[in-house]
Amino acid sequence: MNSVLPLWFEIGSMVVLVGILVIDLLLIIRRPHVPSMREASLWVGFYVLLALLFGGAIFLLGDVQHGTEFLAGWLTEYSLSIDNLFVFVLILAAFKVPMAYQQRALMIGIVLALVFRGIFILVGAAIIERFIAVFFIFGAWLIWTAWQQIKPGGHDDQGDSWIIRQVKKVLPFSDEYDGGKLRTTVDGKRMFTPFLLVLISLGATDLLFALDSIPAIFGITQSPFIVFTANVFALMGLRQLYFLLGGLLERLPYLKYGIAAILAFIGVKLILHALHENELPFINGGEHVPVPEISTMMSLAFIVLAMGVATIASVMKANKDAKAHGERLHLGASEAESHEGPHTK
C-alpha cells in the first residue's frame, strides 16, 4: 500500500514510540510504586498531547484524509483500550495483586497487547489487499461484539478461565506473591508465583481484544502505519490512567453502551464498504452495489459524540449515586495507597 507520508517520518515515528515504551517499562522495573494523582495526571496528559501533536504532524506532512483517519482511529482504539483496562481491573482484583506491583503487571499487559495487535495488523493488511470481501466478516464480527458489550454479564468475573485451570494442573504455584517475581522458593521447593497467572490472564484478554480492535480500526483506515500508531498511542498511558481513574471504571455504567455504539457503527460501515466494492458473484452478479458510504469525518464525529455522551452520562450517574450515599465521587487511588511502598515478604 502506498503512503502519502514521508518514509523518514514513518521510520522515525516507530523508533521514537518504541523507545518511549522501553523507557516506560524500565522505569517500572527499577522503581515499582503506586503513582500519585498528580503523577498519573501528568503522564496521561503527556501521552494525549503527544497523540494530538502526532495527528497534527500527519495533517501537515500528509493530508486531511490521513490526519482525520488517525484521529478517528486513535479515539476508537482508546475507547476500546479503556474497555480492555476495565477487564484488567477485574483480573488484578481477582488475583489480589499488591498495589505496588500492579504497574508492572499493567505494563506487561500493554506490551502483550501491542505484540498481538501488531501481528493482527500485518495479517489483516495482507488479507484486505487480496480479499476485500473480508470486510463482510469484519463487519458482522463487530456487530456481534457490540451486542456482547451490552448484554447482561458481559464483564462479570466467572472465576478461573479454562487456560488458567490447565496451567494450574501442569505447574506448581505458591499461594503468596514474592514481590514482582515469577518464581519463588517455598519450603525448599521452587514454585511459580500467582504473578505468572496474572500475566497469562492479561495476555489471553489482550488476544481477545485484538480480535475486536483491529477489524474496528481497519473500518476507518487501511493504512498499516496509521493502524499501528493509533494502537500504540491508544495503549500509551493506560497504566497511569488505571491509577488516575481508580475505582471509577466500575462506576461508569454507560461506557459499554458508547463502545457498543461505536463497534456497531463501524461494523455497518464495513459492510457498506464491502457492498460498494463488491466482487462476490452471488451478490448483485459480482457488480458493485450502489449503497451510501460513510466518510471518515462522519465516523470521527460519531465516535466523539458516542464516547462523550456515554462518559458524561456515566459520571453524572456516578456522582448522583455517591451523593445519595453521602459520599464524594472519588478519582484515583487513595492517598494511603499512593504512599505505600513495595510489598515484601
Side-chain angles (χ1 to χ4, degrees):
M1 294 182 183
N2 295 326
S3 174
V4 299
L5 294 167
L7 183 61
W8 65 263
F9 175 74
E10 294 192 356
I11 295 175
S13 299
M14 300 298 284
V15 171
V16 171
L17 291 177
V18 171
I20 291 174
L21 287 173
V22 170
I23 292 172
D24 207 5
L25 182 59
L26 291 175
L27 287 174
I28 297 168
I29 293 173
R30 290 177 62 87
R31 195 170 69 93
H33 70 292
V34 179
S36 65
M37 279 283 289
R38 184 175 182 276
E39 180 185 346
S41 300
L42 288 174
W43 275 108
V44 171
F46 168 73
Y47 284 128
V48 169
L49 178 61
L50 203 61
L52 293 175
L53 290 174
F54 183 80
I58 294 179
F59 274 101
L60 291 173
L61 297 173
D63 53 29
V64 173
Q65 175 65 24
H66 285 76
T68 307
E69 286 178 0
F70 171 78
L71 290 178
W74 171 59
L75 288 173
T76 298
E77 293 303 306
Y78 203 80
S79 62
L80 290 171
S81 294
I82 291 175
D83 195 39
N84 200 158
L85 187 61
F86 178 78
V87 179
F88 282 0
V89 169
L90 297 179
I91 291 172
L92 296 179
F95 285 99
K96 297 181 176 62
V97 180
M99 284 294 294
Y101 295 99
Q102 288 184 9
Q103 279 218 72
R104 183 175 298 183
L106 287 167
M107 193 63 199
I108 294 174
I110 290 169
V111 171
L112 290 174
L114 275 174
V115 171
F116 288 132
R117 293 185 190 194
I119 293 171
F120 282 8
I121 288 167
L122 293 174
V123 173
I127 293 174
I128 289 169
E129 210 167 347
R130 293 166 177 78
F131 186 56
I132 195 67
V134 75
F135 279 157
F136 283 116
I137 300 172
F138 283 177
W141 173 259
L142 290 179
I143 292 171
W144 182 82
T145 304
W147 162 245
Q148 293 295 111
Q149 278 280 332
I150 61 176
K151 78 173 188 179
H155 282 317
D156 286 351
D157 182 20
Q158 303 293 332
D160 286 350
S161 64
W162 178 85
I163 189 169
I164 292 298
R165 291 196 299 272
Q166 301 310 307
V167 171
K168 282 183 174 180
K169 290 179 182 178
V170 176
L171 301 176
F173 284 91
S174 64
D175 295 326
E176 302 293 331
Y177 288 90
D178 186 2
K181 297 178 182 177
L182 295 179
R183 300 198 73 181
T184 188
T185 302
V186 179
D187 297 329
K189 183 179 179 182
R190 293 290 288 170
M191 306 179 79
F192 290 95
T193 69
F195 203 75
L196 178 61
L197 296 177
V198 173
L199 299 186
I200 293 173
S201 294
L202 293 177
T205 300
D206 287 330
L207 184 59
L208 291 175
F209 272 91
L211 289 171
D212 299 336
S213 67
I214 299 309
I217 195 170
F218 269 121
I220 295 170
T221 178
Q222 293 177 39
S223 164
F225 173 72
I226 293 178
V227 170
F228 186 74
T229 52
N231 270 277
V232 172
F233 278 109
L235 292 169
M236 279 182 166
L238 265 195
R239 64 180 181 84
Q240 291 92 347
L241 188 64
Y242 169 84
F243 293 101
L244 179 63
L245 295 179
L248 185 63
L249 280 173
E250 300 169 13
R251 289 180 282 173
L252 295 178
Y254 304 126
L255 186 63
K256 63 180 180 181
Y257 295 106
I259 294 172
I262 292 171
L263 290 174
F265 176 84
I266 298 176
V268 171
K269 179 183 178 180
L270 282 171
I271 292 174
L272 289 175
H273 181 70
L275 287 170
H276 190 269
E277 302 293 326
N278 176 58
E279 295 177 349
L280 296 177
F282 53 85
I283 297 178
N284 197 35
E287 299 294 325
H288 300 341
V289 181
V291 294
E293 284 215 84
I294 300 171
S295 68
T296 305
M297 192 64 73
M298 188 182 297
S299 299
L300 177 59
F302 183 88
I303 292 163
V304 171
L305 179 64
M307 287 310 298
V309 170
T311 302
I312 293 171
S314 295
V315 171
M316 288 176 64
K317 185 179 187 304
N319 193 41
K320 182 180 178 181
D321 292 343
K323 286 181 178 178
H325 292 87
E327 302 172 354
R328 201 175 103 189
L329 186 61
H330 174 67
L331 295 177
S334 67
E335 286 303 310
E337 287 173 338
S338 298
H339 290 91
E340 281 183 354
H343 291 232
T344 55
K345 288 191 69 177

